[in-house]
Amino acid sequence: MLVAVAIYLAFASDYFLEPRNLLNVGRQASVVAIVALGQAMVIIARGIDLSVGSVIGLSAVVAAVLMRDTGSETVGLVAGLLTGLACGFVNGVLYTRFRINPFIATLGTLSVARGIALLMTGGIPVTFGGFAEFVGAGRIAGIPVSLLVMIVLAIAVHVFATRTVRGREIYAIGDSPKAASLAGVNLKHTRLFVFAFSGFLAGLGGLILAGNLASADPNLGMGYELDVIAAVILGGTALSGGRGSIVGVIIGALLMALLNNAFVLLGISAYWQVVTKGLVIIFAVGLDGLQRGAEED
């Protein structure tokens, strides 16, 4: 799909193959891809995190407010990352300790996190700059810093998922929780870890996104959960858990960014982007269901 869309745009638009546009696609994909890395770990472990969009906004707001009130950039950035981590930890606790379905638990924290962000700011964006602005909007040798961060994180998560004991335990839980438990895997600790990891990366994504805009808006990240989940599923990660690759997640994020870029280049109404995202998610989940059904048969 990625190659097909790219080939079509190469013929449909004279601007698509320009280096500036291609780098812009990579920059647009970077935040979705970074957050999707954590979401992939959650889904592989048979969970789902619907709160990432709101965590993006809350983390950015906390960082901006503390940076403004304390005058310390370091305090603000650390607080933003810890906010994301704390939100993920709460999601994990709700799932592992209180046995609340992750869909319902994260749907609740989605609303709570967004509400807190609005309460902290009164609905008014807060100026945000410094190092986060460099990461979000800066370039090194012409390459967006956020794209470089995405590449480094993707490599690190790929190594973690495929070459470490905890990484393989995540796949084992997704494949068969009962078998993993009998093999000595601590289900609660591993599930708590993946949700905390997802929250942390959502917090990082929030700082990068706010830095790119030089403003922390309490509504920042709204709807990003759809892009993130679509990127994960399009990348071949099974909603039933136990299967997925980090390379696939990055390709899925690039495809979502490429579709957004296509609407701009072709002059299509932005409202159709919302429709297309929904159709892409339905298509990806349907394809996964058909494949899983064929394997079971």
Side-chain angles (χ1 to χ4, degrees), residues 88-100 192 195:
F89 184 80
V90 168
N91 287 333
V93 169
L94 291 175
Y95 178 35
T96 60
R97 302 297 178 184
F98 294 93
R99 298 185 180 280
I100 301 175
L192 191 62
F195 276 100

Side-chain angles (χ1 to χ4, degrees), residues 55-75:
V55 173
I56 286 174
L58 179 60
S59 299
V61 163
V62 168
V65 169
L66 285 180
M67 193 180 299
R68 179 195 63 191
D69 294 347
T70 65
S72 172
E73 185 178 344
T74 302
V75 170

Side-chain angles (χ1 to χ4, degrees), residues 230-297:
V232 173
I233 302 304
L234 279 172
T237 301
L239 271 176
S240 55
R243 186 175 75 243
S245 72
I246 301 305
V247 174
V249 171
I250 300 301
I251 292 175
L254 288 173
L255 178 58
M256 295 301 296
L258 204 59
L259 289 173
N260 291 335
N261 185 247
F263 282 101
V264 175
L265 293 178
L266 300 178
I268 300 174
S269 171
Y271 299 131
W272 279 105
Q273 293 186 29
V274 182
V275 176
T276 303
K277 287 177 184 177
L279 292 175
V280 166
I281 292 174
I282 292 172
F283 172 77
V285 174
L287 197 63
D288 175 67
L290 290 174
Q291 183 179 355
R292 188 171 63 252
E295 291 175 354
E296 290 175 355
D297 293 340

